[in-house]
Amino acid sequence: MQHIYLDNAATTPMAPEVIQTMTDQMQHDFGNASSTHWFGREAHTVMDKSRKILADSIHAQPGEMVITSGATESNNTAISQTAHARAALGKHIITTAIEHPSVLQPLKALEKEGFRVTYLPVDENGRIRLADFDAALDDDTILVTIMMGNNEVGSRMPIAEIGERLMEHQAWFHTDATQAYGLLDIDVKAQHIDMLSVSAHKINGPKGVGFLYRDPKVQFPALLKGGEQELKRRAGTENIAGIAGFATAVQLITSEEKARRQTKYLNFKKQIMTALDNANISYAINGDIRPDNVNHVFNLWLKGISTYALQTNLDLAGVAVSGGSACTAGSLEPSHVLTAMFGADSPRLGESIRISFGAQTTQEDIQAFIDTLLPIVKRLMVKQTVQ
Ligand code: PMP
């Protein structure tokens, strides 16, 4: 059976160039980057070169990058460590209702400790309103954490506008750029971002590696304590092969390539919508179609069709899509993102699927997906009418 992978917001396959880099690395440079002998120095050189590539990709300096095990660790560090470090200045944090659990869960823990968290609501397109942000910001605010692009619906947040508003404010500004990094040009200085989280496995790099950018003014105690790696900001022997693979993945995504992918993904959405229109299938998009969204994510409400039935039938036919985000799929919890957009009573919560495209996805894959989807939807529609 042909397998079609349309769950790239969950993770992406490693690019062949990344596998090559990592294989070479594992074969030749196994040293511990902290060792002072030749083997250690070789590993350290790889780290330095990779760190520079990662820093350049967001217009940062190598010394501002903390290499982590991925965006979960970056988000936890950026939120828990800075909130505790700044508690004397205030106890208020601003975020959105549609962040990833690796942002929301540390915030829930902080609330239990007495921090006050404002969860900005979103509109039906998954965007916050700047007026709500302005109303929430006060003298007690020490941290703002707002994602750059959403992993379930692909909406993009007004990051530069928020960065600008916080320039004269004490609050540090963190953004989870995990889904946006491979598609949007990021300039942490121009966008006034103080901290930024990224994960390699969403951009055809390896799993278990990512980074946290931090502006030099941002000081916090390490989450992982022990050795003096990462300028004492993150203890643990460095994952050299992973970091080198991450840097290779980054090098494959030039600014032109990002723009090319954005257009390609937008066209995939149009191809799917045209097919649904032509087949007279009743659907709506959860979110909106805008060229400046993170376009690899496409969340579709197929009216009257259960998410579970559709996802299972697609899986049996060889097509992988998601019923929500990978982190909540599998549990029967409705998506907190769709709940924030449409309310807890919306039928969309149980009748939507997330399709997400990747660098390797072709137009033929999309056609094969459509050819699989349409008969399944028609069959499920009949079944539900009969019941
Ligand atoms: N933030 C967002 C928006 C994500 O989509 C993900 C991955 N699902 C993460 C954070 C967590 O990243 P990682 O898998 O590297 O821990």
Side-chain angles (χ1 to χ4, degrees):
M1 182 169 57
Q2 189 193 3
H3 285 278
I4 300 169
Y5 185 72
L6 293 174
D7 198 13
N8 290 274
T11 196
T12 57
M14 278 201 268
E17 294 88 338
V18 170
I19 296 172
Q20 191 59 54
T21 299
M22 293 181 71
T23 310
D24 290 347
Q25 214 54 58
M26 287 187 280
Q27 280 171 342
H28 303 296
D29 292 310
F30 66 89
N32 183 324
S34 301
S35 303
T36 51
H37 48 60
W38 180 83
F39 294 91
R41 290 198 306 277
E42 285 290 298
H44 208 275
T45 306
V46 174
M47 285 281 305
D48 287 345
K49 281 191 189 147
S50 304
R51 192 187 299 280
K52 170 92 172 70
I53 292 165
L54 301 180
D56 284 348
S57 74
I58 54 166
H59 300 272
Q61 296 302 316
E64 298 166 342
M65 310 297 282
V66 184
I67 313 282
T68 65
S69 64
T72 296
E73 184 190 325
S74 300
N75 288 339
N76 272 260
T77 306
I79 293 164
S80 307
Q81 301 309 94
T82 61
H84 289 133
R86 311 200 82 207
L89 296 171
K91 289 254 174 162
H92 181 230
I93 301 169
I94 301 176
T95 190
T96 80
I98 65 167
E99 299 294 314
H100 188 265
S102 58
V103 166
L104 295 175
Q105 292 304 321
L107 289 172
K108 292 275 172 237
L110 288 170
E111 278 184 295
K112 288 204 181 102
E113 293 174 32
F115 287 87
R116 189 164 54 88
V117 180
T118 301
Y119 297 88
L120 297 175
V122 292
D123 62 20
E124 295 213 337
N125 293 320
R127 264 182 229 104
I128 58 161
R129 297 170 200 86
L130 284 168
D132 290 337
F133 173 80
D134 292 338
L137 189 67
D138 62 31
D139 291 346
D140 200 38
T141 312
I142 49 166
L143 177 68
V144 173
T145 173
I146 294 181
M147 68 195 335
M148 194 171 279
N150 182 266
N151 49 309
E152 289 192 39
V153 294
S155 55
R156 182 166 168 189
M157 295 298 184
I159 295 302
E161 288 83 344
I162 294 166
E164 179 118 29
R165 280 166 159 78
L166 292 176
M167 275 172 71
E168 305 298 325
H169 194 280
Q170 68 162 359
W172 286 344
F173 180 29
H174 167 251
T175 185
D176 176 0
T178 306
Q179 296 290 343
Y181 178 68
L183 292 175
L184 306 179
D185 283 325
I186 298 173
D187 184 330
V188 285
K189 309 290 173 190
Q191 293 172 294
H192 306 290
I193 296 165
D194 297 318
M195 291 179 279
L196 179 133
S197 303
V198 164
S199 184
H201 74 97
K202 309 284 185 180
I203 57 150
N204 306 99
K207 292 172 183 58
V209 60
F211 68 70
L212 174 63
Y213 156 80
R214 46 123 228 146
D215 180 272
K217 79 174 177 214
V218 174
Q219 300 290 341
F220 51 79
L223 179 68
L224 298 186
K225 296 168 183 64
E228 299 197 345
Q229 291 91 350
E230 297 300 305
L231 302 171
K232 300 187 191 167
R233 287 193 186 85
R234 199 266 184 188
T237 301
E238 297 89 342
N239 167 13
I240 306 290
I243 294 164
F246 186 8
T248 298
V250 169
Q251 282 180 308
L252 295 174
I253 319 174
T254 57
S255 203
E256 299 72 48
E257 178 59 20
K258 287 181 198 169
R260 208 184 60 75
R261 287 186 194 179
Q262 282 283 64
T263 309
K264 170 173 126 168
Y265 300 156
L266 200 58
N267 288 335
F268 287 166
K269 292 186 188 186
K270 290 180 185 156
Q271 193 182 341
I272 295 169
M273 286 160 66
T274 305
L276 292 170
D277 287 337
N278 290 344
N280 279 323
I281 287 169
S282 181
Y283 73 96
I285 294 150
N286 296 318
D288 55 7
I289 301 287
R290 270 172 53 156
D292 63 345
N293 280 342
V294 284
N295 284 327
H296 65 309
V297 182
F298 192 33
N299 201 311
L300 266 184
W301 173 29
L302 288 152
K303 299 183 188 175
I305 312 278
S306 122
T307 302
Y308 180 72
L310 184 55
Q311 197 197 350
T312 312
N313 276 276
L314 283 171
D315 187 27
L316 289 172
V319 177
V321 299
S322 169
S325 69
C327 317
T328 42
S331 71
L332 290 173
E333 288 289 301
S335 151
H336 70 287
V337 176
L338 295 185
T339 304
M341 286 164 69
F342 302 106
D345 297 330
S346 170
R348 295 184 191 232
L349 271 53
E351 299 177 354
S352 296
I353 54 166
R354 179 188 71 178
I355 302 151
S356 51
F357 318 116
Q360 74 291 347
T361 312
T362 62
Q363 207 186 337
E364 290 71 41
D365 290 334
I366 300 300
Q367 194 52 52
F369 163 67
I370 291 167
D371 294 343
T372 312
L373 177 74
L374 296 184
I376 292 175
V377 168
K378 287 194 176 143
R379 201 170 66 229
L380 292 173
M381 262 168 25
V382 172
K383 219 169 158 195
Q384 260 151 40
T385 326
V386 170
Q387 273 169 356

